[in-house]
């Protein structure tokens, strides 16, 4: 199904590519979080690697399925021989026999004396034949300088001890593990994009805060300088405000540099050139809710959604398939085969230089008997590996349970922190207003106003951190729950 869906998705992403790139340039419009995710998923090299892994696992599964089917092979051999084959070293002389009507049998044609007794060869070579049949040496000499042979063979496994089924199971589970691994990579990339996205939003808000603080301190400096010109403030007051103004400008510079680096990091995560300036749709830092949403879940459903756990579960299945594979090495194996063999020269009808051959069929049975425990120990080792992987999966599930509790606690705590920072911000703003009023009335000193401004800055900064913390905790909780898109 994936091979049919991917071209559709790629076509849709290509169609929106121009619009996204326009939004990624100054003046091109704001880019949403979903757009950043889409760019990252389209351009990330790790996802491309995972896709190739899935593709390779699918091809391995198809290769394993082919083991059920008969295999057809062609083989050919050519041999050059220096010498001819001579079955005789010289002309062969063979004794003959004649039919004896008196006895009704064949008698040897051998030399006899007048009394009819056979005469032995003086050299001790047996009897002396009176007639011989001659076989010339050349009649049994064959030209085998150039020999060519070939065969077309069909092999069909009948029972391989369950190894073919085990290989198919392993390939299928490995493909499922590759898909789960790819999905886990997608979720991790999505999480990284969200982190980089909200970091840009946070630093942009802090840059605006730093600019406001510079203006605030600069206004105070203007007022203190005016009072100093009128003799109502000291030189020390002016210097204190100047120092604070320089500190505010330095802070603005640092925040601006950090925002630039954060934008570069987001562009890199999205697969864009690092000098691309992404304007985000959430840079205004929308307010968050007053109360944390209620999250309830079934742990087993979470385990089913977690792609890292799914990859480990499929890994356990792969090792179980390996057990069956090693067990199959201890069982009998049966196969049938058929072949057509041909050669030149051939001996089908005497020695012939023409190409000749014939069909043959057969069956083969292999029964393992004794290998000094080699295969059995391999089987036990496979069982141990399966148990180890199963224990690792159980340990990971226990850690996921802990992650769920921690993520929920942090998410709820982030809302409490945000509520407290909002309360502190209100008090800091009221304190700053009171300090400025008292300063104008001559009740408070310059240092008191600077202290109130610093408190206002800290309260705003903490409020921004708390708001972003809610976003990040929500993303982390979605990751732990396995709800991030994959």
């Amino acid at each position: 199904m994936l091979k049919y869906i991917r071209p559709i998705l790629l076509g849709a992403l290509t169609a929106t590519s121009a619009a996204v790139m326009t939004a990624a340039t100054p003046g091109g419009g704001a880019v949403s979080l979903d757009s950043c995710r889409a760019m990252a998923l389209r351009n990330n090299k790790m996802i491309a690697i995972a896709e190739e892994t899935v593709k390779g696992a699918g091809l391995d599964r198809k290769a394993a399925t082919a083991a059920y089917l008969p295999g057809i092979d062609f083989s050919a051999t050519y041999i050059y021989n220096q010498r001819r084959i001579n079955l005789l070293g010289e002309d062969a002389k063979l004794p003959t026999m004649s039919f004896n009507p008196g006895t009704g049998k064949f008698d040897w044609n051998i030399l006899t004396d007048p009394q009819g007794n056979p005469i032995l060869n003086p050299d001790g070579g047996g009897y002396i034949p009176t007639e011989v049949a001659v076989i010339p040496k050349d009649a049994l000499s064959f030209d085998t300088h150039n020999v060519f042979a070939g065969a077309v063979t069909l092999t069909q496994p009948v029972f391989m001890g369950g190894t073919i089924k085990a290989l198919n199971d392993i390939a299928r589970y490995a493909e499922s593990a590759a898909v789960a691994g790819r999905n886990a990579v997608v979720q991790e990339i999505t999480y990284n994009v969200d982190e980089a996205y909200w970091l840009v939003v946070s630093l942009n808000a802090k840059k605006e805060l730093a600019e406001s603080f510079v203006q605030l301190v600069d206004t105070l400096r203007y007022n203190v300088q005016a009072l100093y010109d009128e003799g109502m403030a000291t030189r020390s007051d002016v210097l204190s405000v100047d120092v604070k103004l320089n500190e505010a400008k330095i802070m603005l510079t640092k925040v601006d540099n950090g925002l630039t680096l954060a934008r570069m990091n987001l562009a890199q995560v999205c697969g864009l050139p690092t000098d691309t300036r992404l304007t985000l749709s959430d840079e205004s830092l929308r307010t968050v809710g007053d109360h944390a949403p209620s999250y309830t879940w079934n742990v087993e459903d979470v385990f089913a959604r977690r792609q890292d756990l799914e990859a480990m579960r499929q890994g356990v299945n792969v090792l179980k398939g390996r057990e069956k594979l090693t067990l199959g090495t201890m069982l009998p194996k049966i196969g049938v085969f058929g072949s057509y063999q041909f050669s030149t020269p051939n001996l089908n009808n005497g020695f012939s230089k023409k190409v000749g051959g014939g069909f043959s069929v057969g069956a083969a049975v292999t029964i393992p008997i004794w290998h000094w425990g080699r295969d059995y120990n391999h089987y036990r080792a496979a069982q141990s590996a399966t148990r180890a992987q199963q224990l690792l999966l159980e340990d990971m599930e226990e850690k996921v349970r802990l992650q769920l509790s921690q993520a929920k606690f942090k998410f709820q705590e982030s809302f409490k922190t945000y509520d407290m920072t909002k309360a502190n911000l209100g008090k800091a703003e009221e304190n700053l207003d009171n300090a400025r009023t008292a300063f104008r009335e001559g009740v408070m000193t310059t240092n008191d106003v600077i202290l109130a401004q610093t408190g206002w800055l800290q309260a705003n900064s903490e409020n921004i951190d708390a708001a972003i913390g809610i976003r990040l905790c929500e993303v982390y909780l979605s990751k732990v729950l396995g709800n991030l898109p994959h």
Side-chain angles (χ1 to χ4, degrees):
M1 181 62 70
L2 181 62
K3 67 178 181 180
Y4 298 112
I5 295 176
R6 285 185 60 198
I8 299 174
L9 293 178
L10 291 176
L13 291 174
T14 303
T16 58
S17 176
V20 172
M21 288 303 296
T22 301
T25 57
V31 179
S32 66
L33 178 59
D34 288 338
S35 297
C36 291
R37 287 178 174 181
M39 287 187 289
L41 298 182
R42 185 176 66 250
N43 300 324
N44 189 270
K45 296 296 187 298
M46 295 304 297
I47 295 179
I49 294 172
E51 288 285 0
E52 289 299 324
T53 303
V54 172
K55 180 180 178 181
L59 295 175
D60 286 338
R61 176 182 52 78
K62 292 180 180 179
T65 303
Y68 285 114
L69 305 175
I72 301 176
D73 301 288
F74 171 77
S75 59
T77 304
Y78 170 78
I79 300 175
Y80 172 77
N81 296 302
Q82 179 184 6
R83 299 181 181 274
R84 295 163 55 94
I85 293 179
N86 297 301
L87 298 183
L88 297 177
E90 58 184 11
D91 292 345
K93 299 179 179 65
L94 303 178
T96 62
M97 300 179 75
S98 298
F99 182 73
N100 187 341
T103 61
K105 298 180 180 180
F106 284 91
D107 296 329
W108 290 104
N109 297 317
I110 58 176
L111 183 66
T112 60
D113 59 16
Q115 289 75 27
N117 297 319
I119 299 176
L120 293 173
N121 192 326
D123 297 333
Y127 299 108
I128 301 173
T130 58
E131 295 180 2
V132 295
V134 179
I135 301 178
K137 173 184 177 181
D138 292 340
L140 294 180
S141 296
F142 306 104
D143 181 9
T144 56
H145 289 303
N146 298 286
V147 178
F148 174 82
V152 178
T153 305
L154 183 145
T155 306
Q156 173 62 60
V158 178
F159 178 72
M160 295 289 110
T163 56
I164 295 180
K165 184 179 184 304
L167 285 172
N168 276 269
D169 291 341
I170 290 173
R172 187 173 68 255
Y173 294 138
E175 183 180 18
S176 298
V179 172
R182 186 271 315 276
N183 294 342
V185 171
V186 170
Q187 288 184 330
E188 187 65 28
I189 296 300
T190 301
Y191 179 72
N192 293 338
V193 170
D194 287 16
E195 275 193 324
Y197 182 91
W198 291 114
L199 177 61
V200 172
V201 173
S202 173
L203 291 176
N204 185 73
K206 288 191 175 183
K207 177 184 177 183
E208 294 176 355
L209 175 63
E211 291 172 346
S212 299
F213 185 66
V214 169
Q215 294 177 357
L216 191 66
V217 178
D218 189 58
T219 301
L220 177 62
R221 181 187 179 283
Y222 176 81
N223 294 333
V224 171
Q225 183 65 43
L227 293 175
Y228 175 75
D229 293 339
E230 296 177 2
M232 300 176 62
T234 65
R235 179 62 179 169
S236 177
D237 294 333
V238 175
L239 294 176
S240 296
V241 177
D242 285 340
V243 170
K244 197 64 180 179
L245 180 60
N246 288 334
E247 291 177 355
K249 291 180 179 179
I250 292 173
M251 180 184 67
L252 175 60
T253 301
K254 290 181 178 180
V255 172
D256 188 52
N257 291 338
L259 177 60
T260 301
L261 294 176
R263 291 187 189 278
M264 293 172 64
N265 177 62
L266 178 60
Q268 190 274 330
V269 172
C270 292
L272 301 174
T274 54
D275 58 351
T276 304
R277 187 185 186 282
L278 294 171
T279 302
L280 308 183
S281 58
D282 291 299
E283 288 191 1
S284 59
L285 190 58
R286 298 192 304 268
T287 58
V288 297
D290 294 332
H291 302 286
S294 177
Y295 276 93
T296 57
W297 56 77
N298 182 286
V299 176
E300 296 301 325
D301 291 340
V302 173
F303 289 167
R305 289 194 301 267
R306 286 286 295 260
Q307 296 301 300
D308 51 350
L309 294 182
E310 176 64 16
M312 294 188 67
R313 283 192 292 270
Q314 297 301 331
V316 172
N317 291 332
V318 168
L319 291 177
K320 289 181 179 178
R322 181 186 167 196
E323 288 183 31
K324 297 178 181 178
L325 186 63
T326 54
L327 179 63
T329 61
M330 296 185 286
L331 300 177
K333 298 172 181 61
I334 303 173
V336 296
F337 61 87
S339 67
Y340 179 81
Q341 302 169 352
F342 55 92
S343 65
T344 178
N346 71 86
L347 301 176
N348 291 342
N349 293 299
F351 185 83
S352 173
K353 299 283 289 184
K354 296 180 180 180
V355 177
F359 288 96
S360 61
V361 294
V365 178
T366 302
I367 303 176
I369 297 177
W370 183 253
H371 296 280
W372 303 101
R374 179 195 62 190
D375 297 333
Y376 180 64
N377 287 327
H378 284 165
Y379 177 63
R380 293 179 61 189
Q383 288 180 315
S384 296
T386 303
R387 286 193 293 269
Q389 185 72 7
Q390 184 66 48
L391 291 173
L392 184 62
L393 175 61
E394 293 174 1
D395 180 68
M396 182 63 71
E397 288 177 347
E398 292 176 1
K399 292 179 179 178
V400 169
R401 293 177 188 271
L402 178 61
Q403 284 181 344
L404 289 170
S405 300
Q406 292 176 337
K408 183 178 181 180
F409 176 78
K410 289 181 179 179
F411 184 58
Q412 294 173 340
E413 184 184 34
S414 65
F415 274 88
K416 296 178 181 178
T417 303
Y418 180 69
D419 291 339
M420 288 187 289
T421 58
K422 281 202 306 182
N424 290 340
L425 180 59
K427 295 176 181 178
E429 289 176 347
E430 183 180 358
N431 182 52
L432 179 59
D433 291 338
N434 294 335
R436 284 187 293 198
T437 301
F439 178 74
R440 286 194 299 267
E441 295 176 355
V443 178
M444 284 191 175
T445 64
T446 303
N447 289 334
D448 294 330
V449 177
I450 293 175
L451 186 61
Q453 291 177 339
T454 304
W456 174 84
L457 174 66
Q458 182 176 356
N460 273 279
S461 179
E462 291 175 350
N463 183 254
I464 293 173
D465 290 337
I468 296 299
I470 289 176
R471 304 292 187 185
L472 294 178
C473 287
E474 186 175 18
V475 173
Y476 179 70
L477 182 59
S478 297
K479 177 185 178 184
V480 173
L481 291 173
N483 290 332
L484 287 178
H486 57 76

